[in-house]
Protein backbone atom coordinates (compact mmCIF):
# COMPACT_ATOMS: atom_id res chain seq x y z
CA UNK A 1 0.00 0.00 0.00
CA UNK A 2 0.94 3.67 -0.05
CA UNK A 3 3.66 4.64 2.37
CA UNK A 4 5.44 7.83 3.45
CA UNK A 5 8.78 7.59 5.24
CA UNK A 6 10.00 10.57 7.24
CA UNK A 7 13.48 11.28 8.60
CA UNK A 8 14.85 12.09 11.07
CA UNK A 9 12.51 11.16 13.90
CA UNK A 10 14.17 13.74 16.16
CA UNK A 11 16.26 16.78 15.31
CA UNK A 12 18.01 19.25 17.58
CA UNK A 13 19.48 22.46 16.19
CA UNK A 14 20.92 25.61 17.67
CA UNK A 15 18.82 28.73 17.39
CA UNK A 16 19.60 30.47 14.12
CA UNK A 17 20.70 27.31 12.34
CA UNK A 18 18.75 25.58 9.58
CA UNK A 19 16.67 22.43 9.90
CA UNK A 20 15.83 19.98 7.13
CA UNK A 21 13.25 17.19 7.30
CA UNK A 22 12.94 14.68 4.48
CA UNK A 23 10.09 12.48 3.28
CA UNK A 24 9.88 9.75 0.68
CA UNK A 25 6.62 8.53 -0.79
CA UNK A 26 5.78 5.32 -2.61
CA UNK A 27 2.73 6.18 -4.75
CA UNK A 28 3.90 7.78 -8.00
CA UNK A 29 0.37 9.13 -8.49
CA UNK A 30 0.75 11.41 -5.44
CA UNK A 31 0.32 15.02 -6.50
CA UNK A 32 -0.06 17.09 -3.32
CA UNK A 33 2.38 17.28 -0.41
CA UNK A 34 1.48 19.30 2.70
CA UNK A 35 3.51 19.85 5.85
CA UNK A 36 1.96 20.18 9.28
CA UNK A 37 3.33 21.56 12.53
CA UNK A 38 1.90 20.19 15.76
CA UNK A 39 2.62 21.95 19.02
CA UNK A 40 2.06 20.25 22.34
CA UNK A 41 -1.63 19.91 23.14
CA UNK A 42 -2.80 21.22 19.78
CA UNK A 43 -4.01 19.85 16.48
CA UNK A 44 -1.73 19.77 13.41
CA UNK A 45 -1.48 23.11 11.61
CA UNK A 46 -0.88 23.34 7.86
CA UNK A 47 2.27 25.42 7.37
CA UNK A 48 3.18 24.94 3.71
CA UNK A 49 2.33 22.67 0.82
CA UNK A 50 3.52 21.91 -2.68
CA UNK A 51 1.88 20.40 -5.71
CA UNK A 52 3.47 18.07 -8.21
CA UNK A 53 3.77 20.68 -10.96
CA UNK A 54 6.14 22.80 -8.84
CA UNK A 55 9.69 22.01 -7.70
CA UNK A 56 10.03 24.49 -4.86
CA UNK A 57 7.89 26.80 -2.77
CA UNK A 58 8.97 29.32 -0.17
CA UNK A 59 7.15 31.22 2.55
CA UNK A 60 9.39 33.46 4.63
CA UNK A 61 11.66 31.15 6.66
CA UNK A 62 10.18 27.89 5.45
CA UNK A 63 10.51 26.23 2.07
CA UNK A 64 9.55 22.91 0.57
CA UNK A 65 11.26 21.15 -2.32
CA UNK A 66 9.93 18.29 -4.40
CA UNK A 67 11.82 15.77 -6.54
CA UNK A 68 9.16 13.78 -8.37
CA UNK A 69 11.66 11.50 -10.07
CA UNK A 70 13.12 10.38 -6.78
CA UNK A 71 9.77 10.66 -4.95
CA UNK A 72 11.36 12.86 -2.29
CA UNK A 73 10.17 16.08 -0.72
CA UNK A 74 11.77 18.11 2.03
CA UNK A 75 10.96 20.88 4.49
CA UNK A 76 13.61 23.52 5.09
CA UNK A 77 13.44 25.93 8.01
CA UNK A 78 16.05 28.69 8.10
CA UNK A 79 17.06 30.94 11.00
CA UNK A 80 15.30 28.64 13.44
CA UNK A 81 13.73 30.10 16.56
CA UNK A 82 12.63 28.43 19.81
CA UNK A 83 8.99 28.74 18.72
CA UNK A 84 9.77 26.44 15.79
CA UNK A 85 10.10 23.61 18.31
CA UNK A 86 7.27 21.17 17.57
CA UNK A 87 6.49 17.90 15.82
CA UNK A 88 6.38 18.16 12.04
CA UNK A 89 4.43 15.76 9.79
CA UNK A 90 4.64 15.40 6.05
CA UNK A 91 1.85 13.87 3.99
CA UNK A 92 1.23 12.71 0.43
CA UNK A 93 -2.09 12.67 -1.34
CA UNK A 94 -2.92 10.95 -4.60
CA UNK A 95 -6.09 12.14 -6.21
CA UNK A 96 -8.47 11.28 -3.40
CA UNK A 97 -8.86 12.98 -0.06
CA UNK A 98 -6.99 10.22 1.70
CA UNK A 99 -3.83 11.59 3.27
CA UNK A 100 -0.87 9.31 3.99
CA UNK A 101 1.12 10.83 6.85
CA UNK A 102 4.76 10.40 7.71
CA UNK A 103 5.79 9.25 11.16
CA UNK A 104 6.70 12.74 12.38
CA UNK A 105 9.87 14.63 13.31
CA UNK A 106 10.32 16.16 16.75
CA UNK A 107 12.29 19.37 16.22
CA UNK A 108 13.95 21.01 19.18
CA UNK A 109 15.52 24.43 18.74
CA UNK A 110 18.07 25.12 21.46
CA UNK A 111 18.36 28.69 22.62
CA UNK B 1 -8.71 28.16 6.66
CA UNK B 2 -11.72 27.17 8.78
CA UNK B 3 -12.39 27.51 12.48
CA UNK B 4 -12.85 23.99 13.80
CA UNK B 5 -13.88 23.30 17.37
CA UNK B 6 -14.08 20.03 19.27
CA UNK B 7 -15.87 19.17 22.48
CA UNK B 8 -14.74 18.03 24.93
CA UNK B 9 -11.12 19.11 24.76
CA UNK B 10 -10.20 16.33 27.17
CA UNK B 11 -11.88 13.72 29.31
CA UNK B 12 -11.08 10.93 31.70
CA UNK B 13 -13.45 7.98 31.42
CA UNK B 14 -14.01 4.66 33.07
CA UNK B 15 -13.51 1.37 31.29
CA UNK B 16 -16.69 0.10 29.61
CA UNK B 17 -18.31 3.49 29.15
CA UNK B 18 -18.76 5.50 25.93
CA UNK B 19 -17.81 9.04 24.99
CA UNK B 20 -19.17 11.16 22.15
CA UNK B 21 -16.88 13.80 20.67
CA UNK B 22 -18.34 16.70 18.72
CA UNK B 23 -16.73 18.56 15.83
CA UNK B 24 -18.14 21.87 14.61
CA UNK B 25 -16.88 23.86 11.62
CA UNK B 26 -17.70 27.51 11.01
CA UNK B 27 -18.38 27.02 7.30
CA UNK B 28 -19.64 24.27 5.03
CA UNK B 29 -17.06 21.72 4.01
CA UNK B 30 -17.08 18.87 1.56
CA UNK B 31 -15.52 16.20 3.69
CA UNK B 32 -14.95 15.54 7.38
CA UNK B 33 -12.61 12.95 8.81
CA UNK B 34 -11.79 11.44 12.18
CA UNK B 35 -8.25 10.51 13.16
CA UNK B 36 -6.66 8.86 16.15
CA UNK B 37 -3.22 9.87 17.38
CA UNK B 38 -1.72 7.64 20.03
CA UNK B 39 0.92 9.16 22.32
CA UNK B 40 4.04 10.10 20.35
CA UNK B 41 2.66 8.61 17.15
CA UNK B 42 1.49 9.77 13.76
CA UNK B 43 -2.10 10.24 12.65
CA UNK B 44 -4.24 7.23 11.80
CA UNK B 45 -7.43 7.75 9.83
CA UNK B 46 -10.43 6.12 11.52
CA UNK B 47 -13.14 7.02 9.01
CA UNK B 48 -14.58 9.52 6.58
CA UNK B 49 -17.79 11.05 7.89
CA UNK B 50 -20.30 11.16 5.03
CA UNK B 51 -23.15 13.64 5.16
CA UNK B 52 -26.47 11.86 5.21
CA UNK B 53 -25.05 8.36 4.92
CA UNK B 54 -22.95 5.84 6.80
CA UNK B 55 -19.32 6.66 7.43
CA UNK B 56 -16.54 4.95 5.47
CA UNK B 57 -14.23 3.12 7.87
CA UNK B 58 -10.57 2.30 7.40
CA UNK B 59 -9.15 -1.15 7.93
CA UNK B 60 -9.08 -2.03 11.61
CA UNK B 61 -11.92 0.29 12.61
CA UNK B 62 -15.58 -0.76 12.83
CA UNK B 63 -18.87 1.05 13.20
CA UNK B 64 -19.84 -0.76 16.40
CA UNK B 65 -16.75 0.58 18.17
CA UNK B 66 -16.62 4.03 16.55
CA UNK B 67 -20.11 5.11 15.42
CA UNK B 68 -20.02 8.38 13.49
CA UNK B 69 -22.72 10.82 12.56
CA UNK B 70 -22.69 13.73 10.15
CA UNK B 71 -26.15 15.29 9.99
CA UNK B 72 -25.08 18.34 7.96
CA UNK B 73 -22.12 19.99 6.24
CA UNK B 74 -20.71 21.63 9.37
CA UNK B 75 -21.05 19.08 12.19
CA UNK B 76 -19.98 15.54 13.00
CA UNK B 77 -19.71 13.31 16.05
CA UNK B 78 -17.49 10.36 16.86
CA UNK B 79 -18.42 7.98 19.66
CA UNK B 80 -15.83 5.76 21.27
CA UNK B 81 -17.84 2.82 22.61
CA UNK B 82 -17.17 0.34 25.39
CA UNK B 83 -13.85 1.97 26.10
CA UNK B 84 -10.71 0.24 27.30
CA UNK B 85 -7.35 1.75 28.32
CA UNK B 86 -6.09 1.01 24.78
CA UNK B 87 -8.50 3.68 23.51
CA UNK B 88 -6.55 6.38 25.36
CA UNK B 89 -5.49 8.71 22.55
CA UNK B 90 -5.99 12.07 20.98
CA UNK B 91 -8.96 12.09 18.62
CA UNK B 92 -8.87 14.70 15.86
CA UNK B 93 -11.44 15.79 13.35
CA UNK B 94 -10.37 17.36 10.09
CA UNK B 95 -12.04 18.90 7.06
CA UNK B 96 -11.36 19.42 3.40
CA UNK B 97 -13.22 21.13 0.59
CA UNK B 98 -13.10 24.70 1.79
CA UNK B 99 -13.60 26.98 -1.23
CA UNK B 100 -13.19 23.96 -3.47
CA UNK B 101 -9.64 23.20 -2.35
CA UNK B 102 -8.23 19.89 -1.13
CA UNK B 103 -6.28 21.39 1.77
CA UNK B 104 -7.00 19.58 5.03
CA UNK B 105 -7.41 21.45 8.30
CA UNK B 106 -7.51 19.91 11.75
CA UNK B 107 -9.41 20.63 14.90
CA UNK B 108 -7.63 21.07 18.24
CA UNK B 109 -8.20 17.46 19.26
CA UNK B 110 -9.82 15.65 22.17
CA UNK B 111 -7.45 14.03 24.65
CA UNK B 112 -9.08 10.89 26.02
CA UNK B 113 -7.79 8.92 28.98
CA UNK B 114 -9.49 5.64 29.86
CA UNK B 115 -8.88 4.22 33.33
Amino acid sequence: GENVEQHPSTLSVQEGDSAVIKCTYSDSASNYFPWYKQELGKGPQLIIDIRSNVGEKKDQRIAVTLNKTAKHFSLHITETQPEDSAVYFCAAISGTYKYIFGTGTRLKVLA
Amino acid sequence: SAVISQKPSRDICQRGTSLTIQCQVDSQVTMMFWYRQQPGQSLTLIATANQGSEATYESGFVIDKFPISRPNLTFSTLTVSNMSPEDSSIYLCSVTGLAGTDEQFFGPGTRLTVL
Side-chain angles (χ1 to χ4, degrees):
Chain A
E2 299 95 338
N3 183 49
V4 175
E5 293 185 0
Q6 183 171 346
H7 299 281
S9 57
T10 60
L11 179 61
S12 292
V13 299
Q14 291 292 328
E15 182 178 359
D17 287 350
S18 296
V20 180
I21 303 170
K22 299 180 179 181
C23 288
T24 303
Y25 59 98
S26 61
D27 186 354
S28 56
S30 296
N31 56 14
Y32 176 58
F33 309 91
W35 286 88
Y36 289 85
K37 174 184 181 182
Q38 187 175 26
E39 296 174 297
L40 194 62
K42 297 184 179 180
Q45 177 190 4
L46 178 66
I47 56 171
I48 196 167
D49 56 16
I50 192 167
R51 299 189 185 270
S52 58
N53 59 346
V54 176
E56 183 174 358
K57 184 176 179 180
K58 196 172 183 180
D59 183 3
Q60 298 182 353
R61 294 187 298 108
I62 59 173
V64 57
T65 59
L66 171 65
N67 182 331
K68 284 180 60 180
T69 303
K71 293 192 234 172
H72 289 169
F73 59 112
S74 300
L75 177 71
H76 304 254
I77 306 174
T78 59
E79 301 172 29
T80 52
Q81 301 167 4
E83 50 265 40
D84 294 327
S85 296
V87 179
Y88 291 81
F89 292 99
C90 63
I93 297 86
S94 57
T96 68
Y97 288 107
K98 186 169 180 179
Y99 281 44
I100 309 299
F101 284 91
T103 49
T105 297
R106 184 173 299 277
L107 173 64
K108 187 178 293 186
V109 179
L110 307 171
Chain B
S1 64
V3 176
I4 306 168
S5 59
Q6 285 185 233
K7 290 182 183 179
S9 58
R10 58 177 61 229
D11 208 341
I12 300 173
C13 301
Q14 295 296 321
R15 181 196 301 259
T17 63
S18 298
L19 176 72
T20 295
I21 302 167
Q22 298 179 1
C23 179
Q24 178 75 54
V25 192
D26 68 345
S27 54
Q28 293 185 349
V29 292
T30 305
M31 305 189 77
M32 298 181 77
F33 305 91
W34 287 97
Y35 286 84
R36 181 173 72 185
Q37 186 178 31
Q38 295 179 307
Q41 301 296 311
S42 187
L43 298 95
T44 300
L45 181 64
I46 297 172
T48 303
N50 299 310
Q51 194 251 332
S53 64
E54 193 172 286
T56 304
Y57 290 85
E58 297 299 307
S59 176
F61 298 97
V62 295
I63 187 171
D64 289 347
K65 176 67 176 177
F66 297 102
I68 288 170
S69 78
R70 188 178 173 195
N72 56 51
L73 293 176
T74 63
F75 184 78
S76 178
T77 67
L78 168 74
T79 299
V80 186
S81 303
N82 188 25
M83 289 183 285
S84 66
E86 292 72 38
D87 294 320
S88 297
S89 276
I90 298 171
Y91 291 86
L92 295 151
C93 74
S94 71
V95 305
T96 62
L98 282 168
T101 71
D102 54 6
E103 294 170 337
Q104 183 165 166
F105 299 98
F106 286 84
T110 295
R111 183 177 295 271
L112 171 62
T113 302
V114 184
L115 303 177

